[in-house]
Amino acid sequence: MYYAILAYHEEDIVESWSEEEDAALMSELLEINDRMVARRSLGPAVRLGATQNAVTLRGKGAGLVIDGPFAETKEQLLGFYVVDFPTIEGAIEAARELRRANPTAVYEIRPVSLYVPGASLPYGEGN
């Protein structure tokens, strides 16, 4: 089963880190990535760009493009991982491992379905 681990943090705090602090955190996170790759449980992982560079498309018809992310929250979605575990408990443990490296972040774990027209899912129908 695929799960998204969504990484939330206060963007201003993340942007205040020095290059060295950011590199140290990324090094720890990449070690976790390597372990998940070795277990064959890591899919795409993404570090998103700044929310100030985001736009949101909403509304009827062609829609209206507005500046920034739509959600007004203290924490912003700054990245995500797609992981593959038989149960949500495995995804939760992966998020706990990520949190040990970045304890001030918040991680949301959510089941996802991959949508690729004509492609079958690895675990069969309904997963």
Side-chain angles (χ1 to χ4, degrees), residues 6-19:
L6 307 173
Y8 292 88
H9 209 297
E10 292 183 50
E11 193 170 32
D12 292 340
I13 291 173
V14 172
E15 290 177 354
S16 74
W17 294 338
S18 69
E19 284 186 35

Side-chain angles (χ1 to χ4, degrees):
M1 178 75 177
Y2 291 104
Y3 297 92
I5 299 175
L6 307 173
Y8 292 88
H9 209 297
E10 292 183 50
E11 193 170 32
D12 292 340
I13 291 173
V14 172
E15 290 177 354
S16 74
W17 294 338
S18 69
E19 284 186 35
E20 294 79 18
E21 290 170 317
D22 189 63
L25 173 62
M26 291 308 296
S27 177
E28 286 185 64
L29 293 175
L30 289 173
E31 288 177 21
I32 296 166
N33 287 5
D34 290 345
R35 287 194 293 272
M36 283 195 278
V37 166
R39 293 189 308 244
R40 300 182 61 147
S41 61
L42 181 64
V46 175
R47 187 175 194 181
L48 298 173
T51 57
Q52 66 191 14
N53 297 329
V55 297
T56 299
L57 175 66
R58 60 179 300 116
K60 295 182 180 186
L64 175 67
V65 176
I66 57 174
D67 289 340
F70 176 69
E72 295 290 332
T73 64
K74 183 177 180 180
E75 299 159 340
Q76 292 80 36
L77 176 62
L78 298 184
F80 63 89
Y81 300 81
V82 175
V83 296
D84 184 9
F85 290 97
T87 65
I88 196 167
E89 287 78 15
I92 291 169
E93 185 51 42
R96 284 186 174 133
E97 193 172 358
L98 293 165
R99 187 167 168 82
R100 283 190 287 274
N102 190 4
T104 57
V106 174
Y107 293 94
E108 175 184 347
I109 298 94
R110 188 184 304 184
V112 297
S113 297
L114 298 181
Y115 177 71
V116 181
S120 61
L121 295 174
Y123 294 112
E125 293 298 316
N127 292 331

